[in-house]
Amino acid sequence: MRRALGIVATGIVVMVVALLAAGGAPQRPADGLLGAGIAVSWAVPVLRILADAAAVATGGAVVAVVLFLPAKDGMLGNKAIRACQDAALAAGIWAVASIGGLIAAATVILGIPLSHLAEHAEPAGQLSQVRALAVAVVLTAVLAVILSGTKTLRTARLAAVLTIAALTGPLLTGHGAIDRTSLWSVLATASLVVHVVAATAWIGGLGAVLRYTRSREAVDLFSTLAFVCAVTIGITGLLTAEIHLGGRQDGWGLITQWVTTGYGVLVLGKTLAFVLLVFIGWLHRRNTIPRVANGEPGAFRQLAVLELAVMAGTIGLAVALSRTP
């Protein structure tokens, strides 16, 4: 638990620093305007990263049940049932953080103090971001209930589908979804959805291998999953960043703007973190996996914890990116 809290704290620190450095940090309202307040404004990204961390934990446990932990005649074993219980708890945290994010986001978008939100319930309910978060809250709550009673592989697979659905909703109201009639907008949004699902499977899957099983079979299977996810993340991340940086209009925006704009600097930072993760993955394949095959399951742990810390920082950068103009 202490290690998990430390990893989440790493992501939050990276996010705060990135927002301050890139110009996406909340600002105090101009004189004469009430606004939501600086505390509520900061609560939006903090609750977002907590929801993302819980989503990763949920997805990772579900990945473990579906892929890494054996089932007999479709019935889950004790480890898999424990993973489902962990996933149910994480989904509950995800739902609570999403509720908080919904309230804070509505307050910030409307530019009103939190105490006045009840008076503006109707306009708040019309906001696309609020509606998307509300759907995510419902899905994660249902997911928590289903996972708490999951005993079969078939139900675990249903939980995997619900996890993807809950991840997708809020992404449909981000940067890439502003102009829904644009082909580039559709492409950017679709790319972002695939990017986030792959990242959740990669990060969550690594945590699940550490927590539930470090057998040779599980490590080998995760290595293949991580490779597929890494390739997917690299392609979709490059495509999404290029679209957002204006490459479709002004040449290769990813090259010309990643050191001249706050958003571009964060893209560069995320790219460097991704390169580091790929290098760590190569070290796993070269050193760790052969040692696990030779009967040293603990060899996977030390490097994997470092990898998770880098991944947490990458999530922090991603949240900062979503809030940087």
Side-chain angles (χ1 to χ4, degrees):
M1 176 61 72
R2 188 183 306 171
R3 186 185 303 123
L5 291 176
I7 290 172
V8 173
T10 299
I12 293 175
V13 170
V14 170
M15 178 197 71
V16 171
V17 172
L19 284 170
L20 291 171
Q27 303 294 322
R28 293 187 180 279
D31 292 341
L33 298 177
L34 289 176
I38 197 71
V40 175
S41 297
W42 271 109
V44 175
V46 171
L47 288 167
R48 166 71 184 276
I49 199 170
L50 291 177
D52 287 352
V56 165
T58 304
V62 172
V63 164
V65 174
V66 174
L67 295 182
F68 303 147
L69 301 176
K72 185 176 181 180
D73 298 326
M75 300 301 296
L76 302 181
N78 291 333
K79 272 190 177 182
I81 291 175
R82 180 163 68 90
C84 287
Q85 296 297 319
D86 291 345
L89 176 60
I93 295 172
W94 184 3
V96 171
S98 296
I99 291 172
L102 183 157
I103 294 170
T107 304
V108 170
I109 293 171
L110 293 176
I112 58 175
L114 182 59
S115 59
H116 293 186
L117 183 59
E119 304 167 16
H120 298 79
E122 185 174 347
Q126 299 301 317
L127 297 171
S128 60
Q129 294 93 329
V130 170
R131 288 181 172 181
L133 283 170
V135 171
V137 168
V138 173
L139 287 174
T140 49
V142 171
L143 183 60
V145 172
I146 289 176
L147 283 167
S148 66
T150 296
K151 298 288 174 53
T152 66
L153 185 58
R154 182 176 181 179
T155 308
R157 288 170 176 163
L158 172 62
V161 174
L162 284 175
T163 301
I164 294 173
L167 285 169
T168 301
L171 302 176
L172 303 180
T173 60
H175 281 144
I178 294 173
D179 179 10
R180 291 180 177 81
T181 62
S182 165
L183 174 62
W184 289 105
S185 172
V186 173
L187 182 60
T189 302
S191 178
L192 181 60
V193 169
V194 174
H195 185 87
V196 169
V197 171
T200 300
W202 187 9
I203 302 170
L206 176 61
V209 170
L210 274 176
R211 180 168 175 77
Y212 302 113
T213 176
R214 283 174 243 167
S215 67
R216 177 180 176 180
E217 294 78 11
V219 171
D220 283 343
L221 185 55
F222 171 73
S223 179
T224 302
L225 174 67
F227 176 76
V228 173
C229 290
V231 172
T232 302
I233 289 169
I235 295 172
T236 55
L238 181 66
L239 177 61
T240 303
E242 173 56 26
I243 292 173
H244 288 326
L245 287 172
R248 63 189 185 277
Q249 297 172 347
D250 307 316
W252 284 91
L254 185 58
I255 296 174
T256 60
Q257 297 182 52
W258 62 359
V259 292
T260 60
T261 65
Y263 191 95
V265 169
L266 293 185
V267 170
L268 176 59
K270 200 174 171 197
T271 301
L272 293 176
F274 174 74
V275 171
L276 177 58
L277 288 173
V278 170
F279 175 69
I280 294 174
W282 176 77
L283 290 178
H284 272 306
R285 282 180 172 268
R286 182 181 179 184
N287 300 321
T288 306
I289 292 178
R291 290 176 63 187
V292 171
N294 290 330
E296 298 180 59
F300 186 78
R301 177 178 169 274
Q302 195 168 21
L303 192 57
V305 170
L306 172 62
E307 189 175 5
L308 280 173
V310 176
M311 287 173 167
T314 306
I315 293 175
L317 288 173
V319 173
L321 268 174
S322 71
R323 302 198 57 78
T324 300

